[in-house]
DNA sequence: AAACCAACCAACCGCCCTGTG
DNA sequence: TCACAGGGCGGTTGGTTGGTT
């Protein structure tokens, strides 16, 4: 059972590469190229698996790689493309010269996901959490709606607390006058919550957030929708990140992303929308179907130039052939005007 | 000063696809 | 047509580092 290992596990070194190993690998590849990874470690005098050599070369040693911090423009590009193709890191990395799929993936998982969550945007669907919550709430019978806030908080409690406590933010939850008869003790119209990281106060915060979300949903779920809903939830159009790009209208219509003022994706202190805290409500459970349909469109309509597709098979070909450095598939706007839209 | 924690990122794992004989 | 090896890919792990308690 199972696959034959790519190399003998014995006598193969693992873990961090030393400078000497890097030198051996680099100088061997400079002389002989990368024709056969299985032979490379032997011939280069390395006690490494061929696959390990390939990864070390492609992710670190290649001379055309960038090793510094991601720029604002790069981050914006990642977010845009991720909203379209999902976790197709190699596709995204192909649009960022000098970056590897591993770089992009790590940066997404450690930074960008949290930034989006902090803005109240679900990093999976790229929709505001509030919109997802409202969508879900409208599909439920009233008794179920009552439990939605609880469930949502379960999903996002940790993330919210992390953001709130890390930023030590004093924030307020404003409530409209209550018309509900289901809540025994109406809360004050305004909460003043000072997060300072102590456990008992965290619990208190959780309870207050729970109550606020629950009341908002029970009373007026439709109020949670943005007045000018930027996405058409009745379709799977999900490629608005490319509304200013070379995508055909059939794919780019309908979804206009709203990631906040132009000031940025950068670390410009408190002005950055990344650092703004939203009350995050919602669920990440709705992404898959949309992405699948989008990918079908994308792979059929773009990667393959329009009409026909064989799905994943073709897109893998695309990774190596159509995303060559001189082939710009996405004509991303230089000023990334996507980011100029206001936060929802 | 030490212990603890969170963030980061290099490296690994296993699945999948492709090319070839 | 089939089997197999090579390589690509996304998900996950584990070590390191820097900050906080």
């Amino acid at each position: 059972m199972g696959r034959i290992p790519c190399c003998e596990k014995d006598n193969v070194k693992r873990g961090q590469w030393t400078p000497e190993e890097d030198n051996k690998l680099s100088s061997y590849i400079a002389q002989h190229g990368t024709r056969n990874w299985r032979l490379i470690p032997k011939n280069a005098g390395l006690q490494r698996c061929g696959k390990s050599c390939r990864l070390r070369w492609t992710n670190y040693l290649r001379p055309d790689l960038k090793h510094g911090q991601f720029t604002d423009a790069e981050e914006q590009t990642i977010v845009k493309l991720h909203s379209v193709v999902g976790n197709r890191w190699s596709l995204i990395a192909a649009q960022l010269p000098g970056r590897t799929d591993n770089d992009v993936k790590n940066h997404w998982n450690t930074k960008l996901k949290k930034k989006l969550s902090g803005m109240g945007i679900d990093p999976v669907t790229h929709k505001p959490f509030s919109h997802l919550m409202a969508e879900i709430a409208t599909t439920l019978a009233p008794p179920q709606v009552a439990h939605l806030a609880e469930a949502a908080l379960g999903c996002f409690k940790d993330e919210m607390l992390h953001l709130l406590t890390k930023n030590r933010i004093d924030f307020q939850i404003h409530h409209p006058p209550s018309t509900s008869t289901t809540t025994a003790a109406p809360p004050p119209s305004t909460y003043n919550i000072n997060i300072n990281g102590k456990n008992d106060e965290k619990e208190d915060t959780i309870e207050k957030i729970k109550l606020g979300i629950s009341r908002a949903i029970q009373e007026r779920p439709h109020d949670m929708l943005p007045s000018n809903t930027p996405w058409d939830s009745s379709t799977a159009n999900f490629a608005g990140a490319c509304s200013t790009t070379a995508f055909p209208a059939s794919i780019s219509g309908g979804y206009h992303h709203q990631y906040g003022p132009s000031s940025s994706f950068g670390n410009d202190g408190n002005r950055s929308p990344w650092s703004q805290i939203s009350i995050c409500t919602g669920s990440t459970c709705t992404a898959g179907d949309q992405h699948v349909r989008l990918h079908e469109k994308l792979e059929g309509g773009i990667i393959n130039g329009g009409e026909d597709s064989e799905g994943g098979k073709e897109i893998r070909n695309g990774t190596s052939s159509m995303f060559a450095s001189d082939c710009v598939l996405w004509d991303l706007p230089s000023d990334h005007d996507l980011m100029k839209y206001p936060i929802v």
Side-chain angles (χ1 to χ4, degrees):
Chain A
M1 285 292 284
R3 187 181 167 77
I4 299 169
C6 67
C7 53
E8 297 293 333
K9 295 292 180 187
D10 301 332
N11 303 323
V12 168
K13 190 179 170 213
R14 298 173 62 184
Q16 294 283 320
W17 281 66
T18 65
E20 293 77 36
E21 288 177 311
D22 284 345
N23 285 336
K24 281 184 181 177
L25 182 59
S26 294
S27 56
Y28 180 86
I29 289 174
Q31 287 184 347
H32 302 94
T34 59
R35 276 172 53 100
N36 187 329
W37 285 110
R38 187 167 285 211
L39 293 178
I40 284 174
K42 277 184 188 173
N43 296 341
L46 291 163
Q47 285 194 318
R48 291 277 182 175
C49 170
K51 192 170 183 174
S52 177
C53 292
R54 179 169 58 81
L55 284 172
R56 183 63 179 171
W57 173 254
T58 56
N59 288 336
Y60 193 81
L61 294 175
R62 260 169 46 202
D64 59 326
L65 292 181
K66 280 193 222 170
H67 291 291
Q69 295 236 327
F70 279 75
T71 65
D72 289 356
E74 285 176 319
E75 290 191 338
Q76 291 169 28
T77 300
I78 293 168
V79 173
K80 284 181 183 181
L81 296 181
H82 187 272
S83 73
V84 181
V85 302
N87 295 358
R88 308 288 272 270
W89 306 118
S90 59
L91 271 176
I92 296 170
Q95 299 301 306
L96 298 169
R99 302 294 188 185
T100 67
D101 56 346
N102 211 33
D103 283 338
V104 172
K105 180 175 53 183
N106 282 333
H107 194 64
W108 173 263
N109 285 329
T110 57
K111 301 268 184 66
L112 298 182
K113 261 168 80 174
K114 290 170 191 168
K115 285 181 177 179
L116 287 177
S117 294
M119 292 165 60
I121 294 170
D122 175 21
V124 178
T125 62
H126 293 254
K127 290 184 178 183
F129 290 134
S130 59
H131 181 259
L132 293 170
M133 283 291 289
E135 264 187 357
I136 296 166
T138 59
T139 67
L140 298 176
Q144 293 173 301
V145 171
H147 300 293
L148 179 57
E150 186 81 22
L153 191 67
C155 291
F156 295 107
K157 181 184 74 177
D158 290 344
E159 203 151 43
M160 274 196 290
L161 281 174
H162 172 80
L163 289 162
L164 294 171
T165 56
K166 185 182 178 186
N167 288 278
R168 295 175 190 283
I169 278 179
D170 292 329
F171 72 96
Q172 296 180 330
I173 302 172
H174 297 278
H175 288 284
S178 174
T179 56
S180 170
T181 56
T182 58
T183 306
S189 61
T190 297
Y191 292 116
N192 292 298
I193 300 172
N194 182 11
I195 306 296
N196 64 7
K198 292 179 181 174
N199 283 339
D200 54 343
E201 295 189 14
K202 277 186 181 177
E203 292 305 316
D204 186 44
T205 301
I206 291 169
E207 289 307 313
K208 288 173 179 173
I209 292 171
K210 273 184 187 175
L211 189 56
I213 295 170
S214 180
R215 287 173 58 81
I217 291 170
Q218 287 180 40
E219 290 167 7
R220 300 192 303 178
H222 293 284
D223 286 356
M224 299 179 78
L225 283 166
S227 58
N228 55 340
T229 308
W231 21 67
D232 177 5
S233 60
S234 66
T235 72
N237 262 337
F238 205 68
C242 301
S243 60
T244 56
T245 72
F247 280 115
S250 64
I251 290 186
S252 64
Y255 169 59
H256 302 285
H257 227 310
Q258 303 197 3
Y259 280 121
S262 59
S263 69
S264 58
F265 262 78
N267 299 319
D268 57 351
N270 293 330
R271 287 189 307 112
S272 171
W274 288 117
S275 63
Q276 295 178 13
I277 301 302
S278 302
I279 301 304
C280 309
T281 62
S283 166
T284 59
C285 304
T286 61
D289 188 38
Q290 287 167 322
H291 270 143
V292 166
R293 276 181 273 173
L294 170 71
H295 292 162
E296 287 169 357
K297 283 188 179 180
L298 179 67
E299 290 166 19
I302 298 172
I303 302 289
N304 295 323
E307 300 304 321
D308 204 0
S309 171
E310 289 183 21
K313 290 181 180 179
E314 291 301 317
I315 206 162
R316 284 188 185 266
N317 281 342
T319 303
S320 58
S321 59
M322 298 203 57
F323 290 151
S325 60
D326 59 348
C327 174
V328 179
L329 181 62
W330 279 287
D331 182 21
L332 293 166
S334 58
D335 60 350
H336 297 277
D337 55 351
L338 180 71
M339 302 306 158
K340 294 177 180 171
Y341 293 109
I343 293 177
V344 173

